[in-house]
Amino acid sequence: MPWEWLAPVATAFAGVAGVAGTVYVSRQGRSAQVELAKAQASGGARQALIAEKRSFYAGYLRAVDEAVDKAAEVTLLDRMRREATSKAAGRELESRLDKAQHECAESFDRIRRMLPELMILGGHWIGSMASVVMMLAFQFARGESPREAILPAQTELIALMHESVNPDGELLESAMEERVRPWFKVLDMGKAAEAAERLAASYPDGHWGDKAASIRRLADSS
């Protein structure tokens, strides 16, 4: 399937790869911030925060499912268009494919835009796990991995989210790190770097060049 329709998705993918790279940065001072947040989020404020998390988590998971469904629709329509037995059918399927590609790109951009707020609400490691799910979804959209490859990571993300909103439970950051960090081994950071480098060649204003270099260093070190 042509690369051009996936350009907005590639932007989302390469951008979130930069977020994924934060797994490797220093967390100096984070413990103090966590303790402060715990002290502030007590009583009614804590319950309100839990309710906000539940709502946002559900919205994020729905958005991911929508993006994956749209990617599957694009794949199906593209195959139907190539197998069309008449010009009229081919033109109709081409129109449907164009619409589906646009909607798919918008769906991926939506989950990209939701990720920063998810990191604020859920914390560093839930945000990082969400970025893994998004990157696997992108690889499926590009035809580089099966849809089934997304499910295990999505299941882990849902489990972390569920524990995050359990009033009687509390996830230690070290325990979350142990659960999330191994997931980055399933990602092909080389493909993330290639996506960013392609964008850098298309938009030579320096922004994507710097990001591509950063992602390439991460890929080479992983």
Side-chain angles (χ1 to χ4, degrees):
M1 135 186 356
W3 162 263
E4 287 76 13
W5 83 269
L6 276 172
V9 184
T11 305
F13 177 53
V16 82
V19 174
T22 61
V23 169
Y24 300 96
V25 303
S26 169
R27 299 194 302 277
Q28 184 177 6
R30 185 175 297 154
S31 296
Q33 294 173 357
V34 169
E35 291 304 318
L36 177 61
K38 289 178 184 176
Q40 292 174 336
S42 58
R46 180 175 176 81
Q47 292 303 315
L49 178 61
I50 288 174
E52 185 178 2
K53 284 182 177 182
R54 283 198 184 106
S55 177
F56 195 86
Y57 290 169
Y60 186 84
L61 293 171
R62 283 195 299 269
V64 170
D65 283 341
E66 179 183 336
V68 173
D69 286 344
K70 287 295 179 183
E73 181 183 359
V74 167
T75 300
L76 175 62
L77 289 172
D78 185 57
R79 185 176 73 247
M80 292 172 62
R81 176 185 60 82
R82 287 185 279 106
E83 296 174 353
T85 56
S86 69
K87 290 184 178 180
R91 285 194 297 270
E92 179 188 355
L93 287 166
E94 184 71 39
S95 176
R96 291 172 60 189
L97 177 61
D98 286 344
K99 182 174 182 290
Q101 288 172 340
H102 179 72
E103 291 174 347
C104 183
E106 285 187 336
S107 295
F108 272 88
D109 190 56
R110 181 186 176 200
I111 56 178
R112 176 192 62 81
R113 287 184 281 107
M114 294 176 76
L115 189 58
E117 187 171 352
L118 179 62
M119 284 192 131
I120 292 171
L121 282 174
H124 177 80
W125 293 108
I126 286 180
S128 295
M129 193 67 222
S131 75
V132 170
V133 171
M134 179 176 172
M135 293 166 78
L136 289 171
F138 176 82
Q139 290 180 6
F140 165 68
R142 286 285 308 275
E144 295 163 354
S145 64
R147 183 169 188 165
E148 291 75 17
I150 307 169
L151 184 59
Q154 196 169 19
T155 300
E156 181 65 64
L157 174 61
I158 292 170
L160 289 168
M161 288 176 166
H162 178 74
E163 294 176 49
S164 171
V165 297
N166 179 4
D168 300 322
E170 186 175 328
L171 280 173
L172 295 177
E173 186 172 355
S174 58
M176 294 179 71
E177 179 178 358
E178 288 177 2
R179 289 171 60 174
V180 174
R181 186 182 288 274
W183 282 99
F184 285 88
K185 295 179 181 178
V186 308
L187 302 175
D188 189 338
M189 295 304 296
K191 287 186 171 60
E194 289 172 7
E197 287 162 356
R198 189 182 294 269
L199 286 164
S202 301
Y203 304 97
D205 60 358
H207 170 74
W208 278 109
D210 294 341
K211 186 175 289 293
S214 175
I215 297 171
R216 174 57 67 187
R217 285 194 297 272
L218 178 61
D220 291 343
S221 66
S222 61

